[in-house]
Every structure is written in C-alpha cells, then in structure tokens.
Amino acid sequence: MIGNGYNFAYLDEQTKRMIRRAILKAVAIPGYQVPFGSREMPLPYGWGTGGIQVTAAVIGPQDVLKVIDQGSDDTTNAVNIRRFFRATTGVATTERTVEATLIQTRHRIPETPLGEGQVLIYQVPIPEPLRWLEPSEAETRKMHALEEYGLMHVRLYEDIARHGKIATTYDYPVRVNGRYLMRPSPIPKFDNPKMDRSPALQLFGAGREKRIYAVPPWTTVKSLDFEDHPFEVQRWNEHCAFCGATDSFLDEIVTDDKGGRLFACSDTDYCRGRRETAAAEPQTAPAEQALA
Amino acid sequence: MTTPLLRVEGVSKRYGAHVGCLEIGFDLWPGEVLAVAGESGSGKTTLLNCVAGRLQPDAGCIEFDTRHDGPQDIYAMSEPRRRLLARTDWGYVHQNPRDGLRIGVSAGANVGERLMAVGARHYGRIRGTTCDWMNKVELDPARINDLPATFSGGMQQRLQIARNLVTHPRLMFMDEPTASLDVSVQARLLDLLRGLTRELGLAAIVVTHDLAVARLLAHRLMIMKEGRVVESGLTDQVLDDPQHPYTQLLVSSVLQA
Amino acid sequence: MEAMIRIKGLAKTFTLHHQHGAVLPVLAGIDLEVVRAECVALHGASGTGKSTLLRSIYANYRTQHGSVEVRHDGRWVDMAHAGPRELLEVRRATMGYVSQFLRVIPRVPALAVVAEPLIAAGVPQAQAEDRARALLARLNIPERLWSLPPATFSGGEQQRVNIARGFITRHPILLLDEPTASLDADNRAVVAELIREARAAGAAIVGIFHDLEVRSCVATRLFPLRRPEAAA
C-alpha cells in the first residue's frame, strides 16, 4: 500500500524522531513554541505543512485519521491531505469525529466534544501572538521568557478603543496553564472554550515558521479579556437549515443572486450526525423538528 | 532617609580602546534632579545608559534603593527583575520621542501600556488614568485614540513623558529631552518637566549639552569631558563659580540672547 | 542671642584659566559671627568682595580656606564643606538669599514664582499662594500682574517679585544683595519694613545696602571689607 519507495508517513524515521522530541518538549511546557527543523513537504507553505509534519510524526498503523478544513471533510484541502496520508500510511480514515484517533484540522475544532486518547492537530500560519507589534524574534522570545504580556492587552485595548468592543473574532489569544501566551491558530473565538481542559491532546504545527506547540489534556486555556469587557463567543439568531442546531458554529451560504442565504453548521460531521439521529426517530421530520 | 535612592561607584565603560566613561561616582537622593552636561563624546550618554540598566559597565557598582528589598546592585539582579524595575519604578525619556513611543498604537494605548504590563485589567479605569495623565502633560484627552504620528514633536515628547509617569516611577532618566524640539516648544516642555519633578518629587538624571536646561531643571550639575567628571556641585555653584578650566570655557561660551 | 552664622578665616580666590590663569584674591581672613535679630551690613568700596562674601555664605561661590558655619536644624553645617544634599536642605529650610536680579523663568506666573519656596518647604499650595498674594500686594505689585510671568515686568517690578520670593519663607537666616537697588522711595520703605519685621522675628540678616537711608533703618551694625593684599 505504500508505494514509490516512500517511508511510512512520508518522513524518514530520523525526522520523525526529531519532531517527536519537539512535541515532547512542547507537551512538557504547555503553550511554549518549540523550534523544529521543518522539512520540505510535497505542498507549499501555507497549505498546512506544519500540521502534516506533526501528524506524520505521530501517526501509527492502528490510527484512524480524520481531516477537516473549516469544519468540513470534503473541501479540496481536506480531501488532498487525507489522500496523502492514505497513500503514505495505509491507515483507516473517517469523517466521524467519534471514530477518529487523530484529527488534523484547519481553522476549526469539531463540535462533538473530544475524549481521552484523541489527538487534535492544528495547522498554524503564524505562531507568535506578539508578532503584530514586535517584529523582533529575539525580543518576543524574551517577552515570553519574562512573561511580559502587557502588549497583548494593548492589542485588545486598541480594539475596544476603535470598535467599542474586542473586535478579534478568530485566532483569539489565550493564556495556557496560567503561563504562556498562545495563538490558537485561526479558529473562531467560538471554539476557544473547547480548548479549555479538553480530555484530548492538542498539538499545533507551523511549517513555514518552524514551530510546534502543545496543550496537554486537562490543561487550562483562558482567553484574554478585560474585567469590564469579558470574553464572549459569537451567537447567531438563526439555526442550521439542515439539522436545526442552535449551538454550533454556522456558516452563512449565499444561495442565489437575489440575496437569498441560509445558515448551516460549519462542522459537516456534526450536522450529518444530528440529521441521522433525527431521521432515526420515526415521528417528526427533520424540518419540523428544527422549527419546533 | 539614610540611604540614597541611587548610589553610583567607580563606573567605567570602554568601547575597545576608546573610553566611554571612567570612574564615575555620585549619590542621588529622592527628589533631586542631577544634570550631566558635556559636549559630544563626553561620555554623558554612556553614563546614563549604564546607570539606567541598559549598558553593563566594565567596572563599578550601581545600587538602587528598591521599594521592597532595599538597595540592590542593578546588574547583580536578574534580568527579569531589572526589566520590571525599568517598567515601573524608573522612566526613560529619549531624545527622539519616536524611540520612546509605540508609533503603531494610539496615544491612549501608549500611556496605558505600562499599566497593562503590571496587570491592570479594567478598560474603563485604564482609560480614566490615561486621560488624567494626558491632562497633566497638557495634551487634550480627546485625542486619546489618535496615533502618535498625528501629534507634533513637542506633543509626542509630552506623550512619552506621560507614558513613563503612569506607574509613578521614583527615578527618571532623560537623554536630551528637549534637544529635538523647536526653541519655543522647548520652553514649554522644560516648564512642564520642572513642574512635574517638583510636584511628584521625582529624582531625575538629565543628560544635556545645553547649560540653560541644567540651570532650569537641575539642583545639581556634573560636567563631563572625555569620559571623566571634571566638576560637580550644585547647579548654581558650577555655573556661577566654575573652577575647572573646561567648565569655565563652557560657561563663557554660552550665548546670552 | 543665639549665633546663627560663624565664619572663620574665610578666603576666596578666583582663577581665570582663560585669561592667562589670572588669579584674583577677593576675600582673605574673614571672621564674622552673626546672631539672631541682627542685621549686619557689609560695606566697602566696589571690588572688596561684598557680593562674593554673601554668595559664599549661601554656597553659591566656593571658597579655598576657612569655614562658613550656619545653624541648621539644631546643629552647625559648614557650607564650605558640606555635601550637595545638605546644602540643598539648608537652603530649603533655613537660609534664604535675595539676589540683585530676578532670574526669569519663562511661562511661570509671578504668583507661582513667589509661592514656590514656601511650597518647597512643605506648605500646602493654597496657603502658600495666599501668603504670596499678601506679599505681592504689600510690595505694590498690581493684581493684574500676579498671573503673568515676570519676564515682561519692569526692573523694579521684577525686583519686588524677587523680594517677595525671598521673604515669604521667613527663614531664620537671610542674605540680601542690594534689595532696594531698582526701587522708588515708597517701595524702598516697604522693603525696609519687611527687613525690620524679619529681624524682630529673630532672623539673622546679612546684607549689602548701597542706599544709606535704608541701611541706617535696618542695619544693627556694619562689617567693613577691604581689598586683600593683591597676590600678583
């Protein structure tokens, strides 16, 4: 099943060891960015090379892999990455969150709560939360070492001054284990609470920036805010047009050129799961159940 | 009060064969303003940076009387501690305000940053404190959301001063605070500094090449030449009765408008 | 009466390094003691060092020999040898100096100029400003000038602001350098009154008075100064 002379999961064993060492270090220091020797991957920077390298380092023959992109299993990106791993490892893949042991994700956390033994691997573009104001790498490293994080609150302050509220809605900065300031990758802030004390292991890979970081299971992850402007998640007035969910992150879909639009769960597996459950109950049709 | 706020002993700093400053020593007490004057290359800025914790000297000792632990050698303490001191109990005013401000964020963020850095987490209160300080340095609080680039040089300098004062530092370091400003603007800033140092009981070390600035702001004056202190004393002593040939030359060279 | 100033063997020489190292001895072997409620008038021809002596007592000028002790906070402080911190403390709390000319600071209004030494001595601003107003009024400075910086005042007005500033703190030691130089007769009388009041309150005063009328009104004795034997 592994053809063309590739090693299991594409990377050679020494590289996998190097990445695993970085991962161990990252897990030992929650939220701390560990530099690693990012390899050339068969796709360009910006397409998830960091996440792929982390997955490649931890994946084993018994794993069941799920890959999502913006919550969906069937976008081009997700399909390609899943196919890549099928070709280089032969492991089983799935679209169901509950069946997966490894989940590689771009920009979303699955709605279905994760359990112990599951690993969530995030694709990260820019790992450094302070980069927006401090271009010097030497200086940001020092700021992390000395816990000098006032600057991150300056960013939130500027939001409130300019927009009346904290305008950051994704990649919202968090404090991990009460110590390191971390960028959770461009997930919507809606997903931030899911990171807090999750039973799953969360790994973050940035290929171009060559950094790996981690949040071990059951670690506190707290979103930054002000006392008088507390952290809040997004809310919708609508529900999912397909499954009726009111508690998931909704995508807004334009349906025609007359302004027609509908809202649907961004997490396709979650949505399908809800529809299947509803269909299994014989009496009420999904649409009526949604409106009830 | 039996310990000075700052005790400097035998401080020397060389740049290879070139002498930055040599065997400098003095005590500074709370509320005292000390001017260090000299021409280019005198070593005054080197000395300032050594005592401000920015440049480790090759020899000598600099002790600061910390709030909770008494006098501490500032280079023997850990870097995090020194950096914390620099953000709270000390202030540093650069000659060019752009070096002492964050140009990319609003005036309010500039003034509030130090507060946020030491744990202030209430937006409303941070804004309130910021407005108070902007008033104190004669900036219109209505401009709190404006970017520093939209302020004039004199206003930027006052913003830099406010940014440093929010944490009520006891010691300010100033590197030619008025040198980059127009003359009419200088007068206003000097007046502000003079008033604030008195009102807040600030101790300060002010590096300047302009003796008039020393006369206006400082209680004490040190004249430096080629890395050494050639004369020191009360400001009026040094300017009215200069003893050292170099001091006499400097004083007699000042043009009277 | 309690001694407030004790000068022993004081000598001062100016060395002008940029005039071929010319050495000018101005004071030599000065011994002077001043007690409370005294007003000693220094007198002598021009160039005999009257102003120099006054400035030396205030530690504005440095001296080469001898000592200048002043009574401060229940002890003696030698102004010729004390450190800067002590000198500043003596000036703040004990000894005042009224120079011949007001040193003009831009932008600071007359009221603040006068109140400043009192605020520095620890008196609350409102109280200090009240006293400043009273003194300015007494010295006939019109009220409309109180909120203006003295830079544009006449010489006489500036000098009166200077005097107000010197007398506001009621320091136990006062040094006066030609306090009535640019004043008219009425204002000279006011200043003379202020000096007498200070004396009556127990201040030790040393002054230079070119106006003989004022001098005879305020001085309790004269201290003569002579040119020292020229060195070279």
Side-chain angles (χ1 to χ4, degrees), chain B residues 43-257:
Chain B
K44 53 193 198 297
T45 304
T46 301
L47 175 63
L48 187 74
N49 287 329
C50 284
V51 299
R54 292 165 162 248
L55 184 64
Q56 178 142 19
D58 300 321
C61 175
I62 297 153
E63 265 185 17
F64 177 73
D65 189 22
T66 60
R67 278 189 220 266
H68 304 295
D69 299 313
Q72 298 286 314
D73 180 336
I74 68 171
Y75 287 104
M77 61 171 65
S78 67
E79 192 185 358
R81 194 130 177 255
R82 194 165 53 245
R83 279 170 75 113
L84 183 63
L85 215 48
R87 273 206 313 273
T88 53
D89 217 4
W90 294 344
Y92 193 105
V93 177
H94 296 254
Q95 177 175 346
N96 187 340
R98 294 177 94 93
D99 293 333
L101 290 173
R102 291 209 187 267
I103 294 299
V105 296
S106 66
N110 267 283
V111 177
E113 183 186 337
R114 275 187 159 197
L115 293 174
M116 290 184 257
V118 293
R121 291 289 176 265
H122 192 283
Y123 178 81
R125 284 201 289 266
I126 294 168
R127 289 281 277 205
T129 306
T130 297
C131 284
D132 288 345
W133 280 104
M134 285 181 78
N135 269 317
K136 246 192 165 60
V137 299
E138 299 176 24
L139 287 172
D140 182 4
R143 299 202 60 184
I144 189 172
N145 293 331
D146 292 351
L147 290 176
T150 62
F151 287 45
S152 69
M155 292 162 78
Q156 285 180 359
Q157 198 58 307
R158 282 180 271 144
L159 187 63
Q160 196 196 170
I161 290 166
R163 176 178 157 84
N164 276 280
L165 290 179
V166 282
T167 47
H168 299 104
R170 290 180 297 150
L171 176 56
M172 291 282 275
F173 302 100
M174 303 196 212
D175 185 6
E176 310 256 20
T178 56
S180 69
L181 305 173
D182 290 333
V183 172
S184 58
V185 179
Q186 278 189 32
R188 186 173 178 190
L189 192 79
L190 286 173
D191 181 48
L192 181 73
L193 284 173
R194 189 174 172 274
L196 282 175
T197 49
R198 273 159 180 60
E199 188 190 326
L200 303 171
L202 291 176
I205 300 177
V206 182
V207 159
T208 181
H209 64 275
D210 185 347
L211 294 179
V213 170
R215 174 81 83 175
L216 195 67
L217 286 185
H219 304 99
R220 295 166 53 193
L221 174 58
M222 260 168 39
I223 305 287
M224 284 186 73
K225 179 176 195 278
E226 287 167 8
R228 288 187 184 275
V229 174
V230 300
E231 188 160 354
S232 75
L234 301 183
T235 306
D236 61 284
Q237 276 177 343
V238 176
L239 295 179
D240 291 342
D241 188 18
Q243 304 290 306
H244 190 276
Y246 180 67
T247 318
Q248 289 187 355
L249 177 65
L250 270 188
V251 171
S252 62
S253 308
V254 174
L255 301 173
Q256 305 292 339

Side-chain angles (χ1 to χ4, degrees), chain C residues 191-231:
Chain C
V191 174
E193 218 174 274
L194 282 171
I195 298 173
R196 288 174 70 93
E197 282 168 17
R199 222 182 72 203
I205 306 177
V206 182
I208 301 168
F209 308 96
H210 273 138
D211 184 313
L212 297 180
E213 201 184 314
V214 171
R215 192 175 80 184
S216 61
C217 182
V218 303
T220 51
R221 67 175 160 117
L222 299 182
F223 183 79
L225 288 165
R226 302 176 4 259
R227 225 184 282 274
E229 307 312 305

Side-chain angles (χ1 to χ4, degrees), chain C residues 52-101:
Chain C
T52 302
L53 177 57
L54 220 52
R55 286 170 180 259
S56 299
I57 300 173
Y58 196 61
N60 175 229
Y61 279 1
R62 303 202 223 228
T63 52
Q64 281 74 40
H65 292 285
S67 60
V68 179
E69 288 177 305
V70 301
R71 192 104 185 118
H72 164 75
D73 200 25
R75 61 182 208 283
W76 288 102
V77 175
D78 182 3
M79 299 296 283
H81 296 101
R85 185 163 180 251
E86 239 189 330
L87 292 177
L88 290 171
E89 199 34 46
V90 171
R91 288 181 177 183
R92 198 185 60 84
T94 300
M95 182 155 61
Y97 175 78
V98 180
S99 56
Q100 242 187 318
F101 304 104

Side-chain angles (χ1 to χ4, degrees), chain A:
Chain A
M1 271 188 285
I2 300 157
N4 300 323
Y6 284 118
N7 198 36
F8 182 85
Y10 183 79
L11 296 174
D12 59 277
E13 291 305 309
Q14 296 307 324
T15 299
K16 287 190 217 168
R17 271 193 214 171
M18 178 271 295
I19 294 175
R20 288 171 195 155
R21 281 193 202 103
I23 292 173
L24 281 178
K25 199 181 262 187
V27 169
I29 313 172
Y32 170 73
Q33 299 164 53
V34 181
F36 79 107
S38 182
R39 294 286 187 260
E40 288 273 348
M41 298 298 286
L43 69 176
Y45 289 138
W47 291 86
T49 55
I52 291 172
Q53 287 179 83
V54 171
T55 302
V58 303
I59 196 166
Q62 311 305 320
D63 275 305
V64 180
L65 177 67
K66 172 177 162 79
V67 183
I68 47 173
D69 174 7
Q70 304 270 35
S72 166
D73 302 82
D74 55 12
T75 65
T76 312
N77 215 12
V79 167
N80 278 333
I81 294 174
R82 197 164 51 241
R83 195 179 336 167
F84 168 81
F85 278 111
R86 248 206 305 271
T88 57
T89 65
V91 303
T93 61
T94 179
E95 293 187 8
R96 293 182 187 274
T97 307
V98 293
E99 287 175 9
T101 58
L102 293 182
I103 303 170
Q104 179 168 332
T105 176
R106 174 178 173 272
H107 298 355
R108 281 255 29 230
I109 298 178
E111 303 290 355
T112 312
L114 301 175
E116 270 189 34
Q118 287 185 300
V119 181
L120 185 58
I121 298 164
Y122 298 73
Q123 295 170 207
V124 177
I126 305 284
E128 177 51 67
L130 297 164
R131 186 64 65 227
W132 75 282
L133 196 47
E134 182 51 70
S136 158
E137 169 71 16
E139 186 58 25
T140 50
R141 279 203 213 185
K142 202 164 261 193
M143 289 160 89
H144 281 293
L146 305 180
E147 227 174 319
E148 289 179 10
Y149 291 140
L151 219 45
M152 204 65 235
H153 275 91
V154 169
R155 160 72 172 263
L156 301 180
Y157 167 97
E158 283 289 81
D159 269 3
I160 302 173
R162 217 167 277 162
H163 308 290
K165 58 185 174 71
I166 298 175
T168 308
T169 50
Y170 62 92
D171 206 2
Y172 193 103
V174 296
R175 201 81 188 263
V176 179
N177 203 30
R179 178 55 180 88
Y180 278 93
L181 184 68
M182 185 186 96
R183 264 177 110 133
S185 85
I187 55 175
K189 66 175 181 173
F190 181 86
D191 285 342
N192 276 22
K194 300 188 179 75
M195 291 194 294
D196 186 31
R197 282 162 296 172
S198 170
L201 169 65
Q202 301 172 76
L203 302 177
F204 299 78
R208 176 182 49 212
E209 296 294 312
K210 307 182 185 6
R211 297 283 184 277
I212 286 172
Y213 44 102
V215 176
W218 305 112
T219 306
T220 56
V221 175
K222 190 171 173 332
S223 300
L224 264 52
D225 60 9
F226 284 95
E227 285 168 20
D228 49 341
H229 284 85
F231 174 76
E232 273 175 6
V233 297
Q234 295 113 318
R235 287 186 209 295
W236 286 260
N237 292 325
E238 293 77 8
H239 52 80
C240 172
F242 296 107
C243 73
T246 52
D247 60 351
S248 76
F249 189 90
L250 300 179
D251 287 335
E252 188 175 346
I253 302 167
V254 176
T255 51
D256 54 43
D257 57 7
K258 300 189 197 66
R261 55 197 64 232
L262 60 81
F263 289 79
C265 290
S266 136
D267 185 338
T268 51
D269 173 53
Y270 181 72
C271 194
R272 183 194 37 222
R274 281 182 54 92
R275 278 181 273 132
E276 282 170 4
T277 315
E281 276 141 47
Q283 299 96 311
T284 39
E288 289 167 47
Q289 183 178 43
L291 295 166

